[in-house]
Amino acid sequence: MRTETLDPLQSPPPAIGPAEAEEIANRIFGIAGLLTRLPSERDLNFRLDDGHGRSFLLKLQNPADGTAVVEMQTEAILHVALHEPTLPVMRIVPTRDGEHWAEVPGEDGRISLARLFTFLEGHNPATEELDPNALRDWGATVARLGRALRGFFHPAAGYPILWDIRRAPALRPMVSYLRDEPRRALVEHVLDRFESNVAPVLGRLRAQVIHNDMSLDNVLVDARGSITGITDFGDMTHTALVCDLAVALSDVLDGRPDSLEVAGAMIEGYGSVTPLEDDEVPVLADLVATRSAIAIVISAWRLHLYPENAAYVSTFGDGAWRLLEIFEAEGFDRVGRRFEEARRPRTLPYSSAPSDELLARRRRVMGRAPLSYRRPVHVVRAEGTWMFDAAGRRYLDAYNNVPVVGHGHPRVVEAVAAQARLLNSNTRYLHEGAVELAERLLASMPGGTRFDRVLFVNSGSEANDVAWRIARSVTGGSGAIVSEFAYHGMTEATADLSPEEWPPGSTPAHVALMPAPDGYRGRYRREEPGWAERYGAEVAAAATALEGRDTGLAAMFVDSAFTSDGILCPPPGYLREAARGVRQAGGLLVADEVQAGYGRFGDVLWSFQASGIAPDLVTTGKPMGNGFPVAAILTRSDLVDGFAERTGFFSTFGGNPVACAAGLAVLEVIEDEGLMANAAEVGAHLRAGLTELASRHELIGDVRGKGLLVGVELVVDRSTRQPASGEADTVVNDLLARGVLIGVTGPAENVLKIRPPLVFTAAEADLLVSALDEALSSPGR
Ligand code: PMP
């Protein structure tokens, strides 16, 4: 009878000498040859060369390993060979009797199981030999082995083994074998973290039988670092699958100085075969640390048990110590975030760069192209209303209108990816995407517009540029009216329509300005009845000014939220009056919905709808593809068909299949997720919170806006309403430091611009308000 103990580590290797081993090979397996002893933690391993070019591994199992455990290992090897035959796993050589093993007695009477395998060529690498490619391959191999074992089970996989990371708390009593006080404290800290961070979630991680020891000692590589063999199935157990990766990270990195830099390669390689799940990623770093702590504690304990084996046993601890010290120096949480970063698939065709270096490189090749914030933010990913920087910090995004349905919305991402895979081309072909998107957009317009035509382009500037060409061609006029600080684009024509961008003193002769309908600080104030209509009537005056310059009016361009003028959102009377003035002067009304459209105003898709007017042209862009470039002009056939025929209007990318897939998915999400109603509701909640802040902070002169387009005007003095421009800049940067993204707008740059994705929640609005409260209260302001 074999003796079975729960812990094979307490049992010394078999007491069998080389001569007996040779005899065993010959008698049991029928193979005579030269034996060479190989290192092993608790078994006796020999290389057996039969002199005819064949090599084998003779394994004399630790007597403490029950038959069941050996049977499990054997079946697992057979299972892997069957289901993943390309994995370099040793093959089992049967005994003369056709069995997978035979019992052999040692000098001390204990019984061992003798097994023979094919010998795998290669060498156990030192960690420094493994470059990131080799580590990626290692990670992928760990994952492939895990996948091969996915359907495998054996009752012995339930026997507890100390190398199962899950059982780390059982090692507590052995920590006392660590003599060095600070080191003991470090191991205790790792075990404390395991108990608080890992243990509570382990039970819900996917679990299976895993190899559990893809270490430097158990994997063979060739001269190039490619894996040629996986050798030791002795630590297999049923546990959390992610432990396989944690073990490999801990043992293969072996505390090399660049451990944290190269760990990502192994995590990526693993994820390329078996993507890590959301619950696994946050515990990975603690699992790695715990595995290192286990190696340290078991080594100390075994050293205590078998002092004569010191040379072999003590090699376990060193790399584990180095790795723990690296983790401690970096901070365990930061290591966790770095591992989380590495989970992202690196199929991306650029390599990540440190933020400072990236800024310098950007300046070198892109000059002074503007960057938001005093200290530019190096963003690496985003999800919903949250953006994440390269250091793993997250920011509540209360600024970006492009990702209108939230960053990385899965329905949009999938639509874009699926269409890109299937087809993308120029737009001179028949395709459902453009037609359906055009139909959907036209159907979204109020009946009064009588819109029946859509032209697709790629940006808001292009949409306005084309709208301008249409207006000139239809009216024969060449004059434009825009608001005092409008922005309508960056092409030559639209830059002329964008006084926000005009160099000082240069007013294009064909453009007349109308005052922005600012009821807070402008010439007509909200307190005066009919103030908005009065602003509207200014359009007629602007048209008269154009006549004086011998330029007939072609069009007025209006962003009905007056975003660049300071977010004004006048009441409906304004646009009605303005539209009347434009028509009287023979011009067309272009509603620029690039900012305020797509549901931002709440309840309706298009901001002009709030006024009940019917523009002649509507332009849209930014939010249309949730980040994929797509823009459009919507109008009537009587206005556009002649123009289109005369010019043969065509845009190569405009309305391409991928852009339209994005556009359609965005419209569906806005509809299905009720985002227009959300914008109205959360916007009202947000303004209420901000209005409450205004009652406590003198700096806030005005809170205004509509839906999820909100302006907070800061003033130095509420009675003079002198703009607090510098303060606004400070507040925006202070909010950034508090993890909230907003911007500034307005001619005096004193209006906080709040314009989040429409999936913004009331709780996130509260978070923004309280961060702003703190920023306004901070003495350093
Ligand atoms: N119109 C308005 C109202 C805008 O805000 C912008 C962009 N800020 C544009 C047009 C131009 O759009 P794009 O940058 O896509 O060319």
Side-chain angles (χ1 to χ4, degrees):
M1 277 299 293
R2 290 163 37 78
T3 47
E4 302 223 356
T5 64
L6 261 190
D7 174 20
L9 288 177
Q10 289 182 14
S11 165
I16 295 175
E20 289 88 349
E22 212 175 300
E23 187 269 327
I24 288 167
N26 204 352
R27 176 169 54 84
I28 297 181
F29 296 99
I31 298 173
L34 190 66
L35 283 191
T36 318
R37 175 94 187 254
L38 299 171
S40 170
E41 181 198 4
R42 59 180 195 232
D43 302 330
L44 259 188
N45 286 347
F46 296 93
R47 176 180 177 138
L48 170 58
D49 292 293
D50 72 351
H52 303 288
R54 292 187 309 164
S55 304
F56 304 89
L57 174 76
L58 175 66
K59 193 172 194 60
L60 303 173
Q61 205 77 26
N62 190 299
D65 284 346
T67 316
V69 170
V70 173
E71 185 184 275
M72 169 174 73
Q73 293 171 15
T74 305
E75 287 183 12
I77 290 169
L78 295 170
H79 186 95
V80 171
L82 183 66
H83 294 287
E84 186 72 68
T86 58
L87 273 175
V89 168
M90 48 198 188
R91 300 294 191 258
I92 292 167
V93 181
T95 66
R96 288 174 131 169
D97 301 335
E99 302 293 336
H100 290 139
W101 64 77
E103 294 190 352
V104 292
E107 282 166 13
D108 54 6
R110 295 182 308 155
I111 304 288
S112 290
L113 301 185
R115 301 197 284 158
L116 196 69
F117 303 96
T118 55
F119 195 87
L120 297 168
E121 292 300 340
H123 68 281
N124 294 114
T127 182
E128 317 79 67
E129 280 178 58
L130 301 170
D131 65 13
N133 280 334
L135 290 169
R136 206 168 279 116
D137 184 34
W138 202 295
T141 306
V142 174
R144 286 176 61 210
L145 185 54
R147 263 166 57 145
L149 287 171
R150 196 178 281 181
F152 176 76
F153 189 70
H154 189 281
Y159 294 175
I161 67 165
L162 285 178
W163 289 105
D164 178 359
I165 306 180
R166 224 174 17 173
R167 301 185 191 278
L171 297 179
R172 283 275 189 192
M174 300 179 207
V175 174
S176 60
Y177 292 116
L178 297 168
R179 298 269 168 263
D180 182 272
E181 175 58 36
R183 286 187 154 192
R184 189 162 65 231
L186 178 53
V187 166
E188 294 275 14
H189 178 62
V190 170
L191 293 177
D192 288 347
R193 285 184 62 96
F194 177 89
E195 279 175 31
S196 61
N197 300 348
V198 184
V201 300
L202 263 180
R204 63 168 191 263
L205 302 187
R206 57 186 161 167
Q208 63 169 70
V209 178
I210 64 168
H211 179 277
N212 201 33
D213 202 11
M214 289 284 281
S215 64
L216 295 169
D217 291 335
N218 292 335
V219 175
L220 301 165
V221 299
D222 63 17
R224 288 172 302 123
S226 301
I227 292 178
T228 55
I230 300 169
T231 57
D232 187 349
F233 283 67
D235 282 355
M236 279 201 316
T237 191
H238 185 279
T239 189
L241 177 63
V242 67
C243 290
D244 236 1
L245 174 59
V247 168
L249 281 165
S250 162
D251 292 4
V252 174
L253 297 179
D254 202 34
R256 58 196 258 182
D258 61 352
S259 286
L260 296 182
E261 283 73 48
V262 296
M266 189 182 274
I267 298 172
E268 275 166 44
Y270 187 93
S272 70
V273 176
T274 303
L276 288 172
E277 293 189 345
D278 286 349
D279 283 347
E280 293 169 334
V281 179
V283 296
L284 181 58
D286 277 316
L287 284 171
V288 174
T290 307
R291 166 67 179 202
S292 298
I294 290 173
I296 288 163
V297 173
I298 290 182
S299 293
W301 174 57
R302 298 197 75 200
L303 197 58
H304 169 79
L305 284 183
Y306 317 115
E308 71 285 359
N309 231 351
Y312 177 60
V313 172
S314 61
T315 58
F316 275 140
D318 299 345
W321 272 125
R322 286 192 297 271
L323 192 63
L324 281 194
E325 280 157 6
I326 289 170
F327 274 39
E328 190 184 34
E330 178 79 6
F332 286 85
D333 290 331
R334 270 181 68 91
V335 174
R337 285 196 295 272
R338 290 179 74 153
F339 283 10
E340 210 157 317
E341 263 300 296
R343 173 211 198 179
R344 288 187 309 136
R346 280 299 147 90
T347 48
L348 294 170
Y350 54 84
S351 44
S352 58
S355 308
D356 292 348
E357 180 194 313
L358 190 60
L359 179 61
R361 277 170 56 201
R362 175 175 159 128
R363 294 268 194 252
R364 268 203 296 282
V365 292
M366 294 167 70
R368 306 304 295 183
L371 283 163
S372 298
Y373 309 108
R374 289 175 194 161
R375 209 175 175 290
V377 188
H378 178 186
V379 286
V380 292
R381 70 185 180 92
E383 203 176 314
T385 46
W386 295 91
M387 299 181 84
F388 298 81
D389 72 10
R393 260 204 90 189
R394 69 176 196 160
Y395 301 88
L396 177 63
D397 183 3
Y399 186 69
N400 282 300
N401 59 346
V402 168
V404 65
V405 295
H407 291 275
H409 194 292
R411 279 176 72 181
V412 183
V413 171
E414 275 154 32
V416 166
Q419 185 59 56
R421 217 177 285 122
L422 195 64
L423 163 77
N424 205 17
S425 76
N426 76 52
T427 51
R428 283 189 196 263
Y429 299 96
L430 262 183
H431 192 264
E432 288 84 347
V435 176
E436 265 195 40
L437 182 56
E439 287 167 352
R440 293 279 308 260
L441 288 169
L442 290 172
S444 75
M445 286 288 159
T449 58
R450 293 183 288 114
F451 281 176
D452 56 355
R453 289 289 185 272
V454 177
L455 307 182
F456 288 113
V457 286
N458 310 287
S459 68
S461 300
E462 279 186 24
N464 284 333
D465 195 289
V466 173
W468 175 236
R469 285 176 68 193
I470 296 170
R472 285 176 52 199
S473 136
V474 168
T475 62
S478 56
I481 298 174
V482 294
S483 62
E484 280 164 328
F485 209 63
Y487 183 81
H488 294 290
M490 52 74 178
T491 63
E492 178 145 13
T494 55
D496 277 353
L497 306 178
S498 302
E500 186 193 32
E501 303 292 301
W502 291 349
S506 69
T507 305
H510 65 286
V511 181
L513 300 183
M514 55 171 179
D518 186 343
Y520 176 68
R521 67 166 59 256
R523 66 184 73 156
Y524 312 117
R525 301 283 171 94
R526 277 180 223 142
E527 306 76 55
E528 305 163 28
W531 68 275
E533 286 78 3
R534 282 197 193 170
Y535 274 117
E538 296 277 343
V539 171
T544 310
L546 283 175
E547 275 167 28
R549 294 179 216 164
D550 274 346
T551 313
L553 178 63
M556 174 172 110
F557 279 71
V558 64
D559 157 19
S560 53
F562 292 87
T563 316
S564 50
D565 288 282
I567 305 181
L568 303 171
C569 307
Y574 171 79
L575 263 192
R576 287 186 203 137
E577 194 56 33
R580 221 150 54 101
V582 175
R583 301 253 157 74
Q584 259 170 14
L588 302 184
L589 177 63
V590 181
D592 178 342
E593 293 279 348
V594 171
Q595 282 278 351
Y598 265 78
R600 183 152 297 279
F601 262 23
D603 297 327
V604 286
L605 198 61
W606 307 107
S607 67
F608 71 83
Q609 285 176 273
S611 307
I613 57 147
D616 300 295
L617 295 126
V618 165
T619 56
T620 180
K622 282 192 184 196
M624 221 180 142
N626 209 47
F628 198 93
V630 50
I633 302 104
L634 289 94
T635 186
R636 305 192 304 270
S637 45
D638 61 299
L639 295 179
V640 76
D641 282 1
F643 163 82
E645 268 161 41
R646 268 196 310 285
T647 61
F649 176 82
F650 172 69
S651 162
T652 300
F653 291 127
N656 68 67
V658 176
C660 292
L664 283 164
V666 167
L667 287 175
E668 278 171 18
V669 173
I670 290 178
E671 184 83 26
D672 292 355
E673 296 186 10
L675 295 185
M676 290 183 272
N678 188 67
E681 233 176 87
V682 176
H685 177 79
L686 172 60
R687 278 192 302 282
L690 294 167
T691 305
E692 192 281 322
L693 277 194
S695 70
R696 292 186 282 112
H697 296 285
E698 280 289 304
L699 194 63
I700 299 182
D702 194 29
V703 174
R704 56 184 179 246
K706 209 165 158 39
L708 279 173
L709 186 56
V710 176
V712 178
E713 179 150 2
L714 303 188
V715 291
V716 175
D717 176 336
R718 280 187 176 178
S719 54
T720 63
R721 303 191 177 182
Q722 187 193 331
S725 311
E727 285 85 346
D729 182 57
T730 301
V731 166
V732 166
N733 284 285
D734 190 329
L735 278 183
L736 172 73
R738 292 169 199 279
V740 177
L741 304 179
I742 64 164
V744 287
T745 185
E749 298 192 337
N750 67 323
V751 180
L752 305 181
K753 180 171 167 186
I754 303 173
R755 191 188 51 177
L758 302 188
V759 287
F760 210 57
T761 63
E764 287 163 349
D766 293 344
L767 223 151
L768 161 62
V769 169
S770 67
L772 181 57
D773 193 6
E774 284 167 23
L776 292 171
S777 312
S778 71
R781 207 193 67 234

